Amino acid sequence: WYTAPRLLKNGHLMTIYASKARASPTVNYERVEVLTTDGGVLAMDLLRPPSSTPVKKLLVLLSGLGGGSHDSYVKHMALAAQKRGYAIAAVNMRACGGRRIETPR
C-alpha cells in the first residue's frame, strides 16, 4: 500500500509539488478524432507499446475538467502504463487538447 512522504501528507500539497517540481515528459501520441452524434468531435490521443511488446489491454485516461493529454500527470501515467505493455487512449473532451468546439451549444 502507498505511504505518503512525511512532508506531503496532504493531497493538495502532493498536487502542487507534482505540478511544480516534476518535469513534463515528451509523449508522441497519435491523434484520432471521434465524431459524436450531435456533430461534435472528441480528440483521442493514442499511445501504443513498443512494437516488440505484446499489448495487454487498453487503458483509457480521462483528465480533469479542462485538461487533456497534454497535462503532466496524464503523460506520466501514459508512459508508465506503456512500459507495462498497455495501449493508451487519452481522451480530450470538447474544446480541450487543442481542438475547437464544432457544435453551437
Side-chain angles (χ1 to χ4, degrees):
W1 189 251
Y2 175 75
T3 303
R6 262 191 10 223
L7 297 176
L8 298 174
K9 291 284 186 187
N10 180 296
H12 298 295
L13 292 176
M14 284 183 195
T15 300
I16 293 168
Y17 177 78
S19 69
K20 302 298 181 193
R22 190 166 65 166
S24 183
T26 300
V27 179
N28 296 314
Y29 292 116
E30 174 189 337
R31 173 67 53 103
V32 175
E33 294 184 345
V34 179
L35 300 175
T36 62
T37 57
D38 65 351
V41 178
L42 293 178
M44 289 194 356
D45 290 330
L46 305 178
L47 183 63
R48 302 173 200 281
S51 59
S52 61
T53 307
V55 175
K56 289 182 179 179
K57 294 182 181 178
L58 173 67
L59 175 66
V60 179
L61 295 178
L62 302 169
S63 66
L65 291 175
S69 60
H70 61 279
D71 290 328
S72 179
Y73 68 94
V74 174
K75 290 179 178 181
H76 280 281
M77 179 64 78
L79 290 174
Q82 181 193 43
K83 287 179 186 174
R84 289 166 178 80
Y86 287 86
I88 295 89
V91 180
N92 297 289
M93 298 303 173
R94 294 177 189 214
C96 296
R99 191 73 174 89
R100 64 185 180 91
I101 294 181
E102 299 287 336
T103 54
R105 49 181 171 142

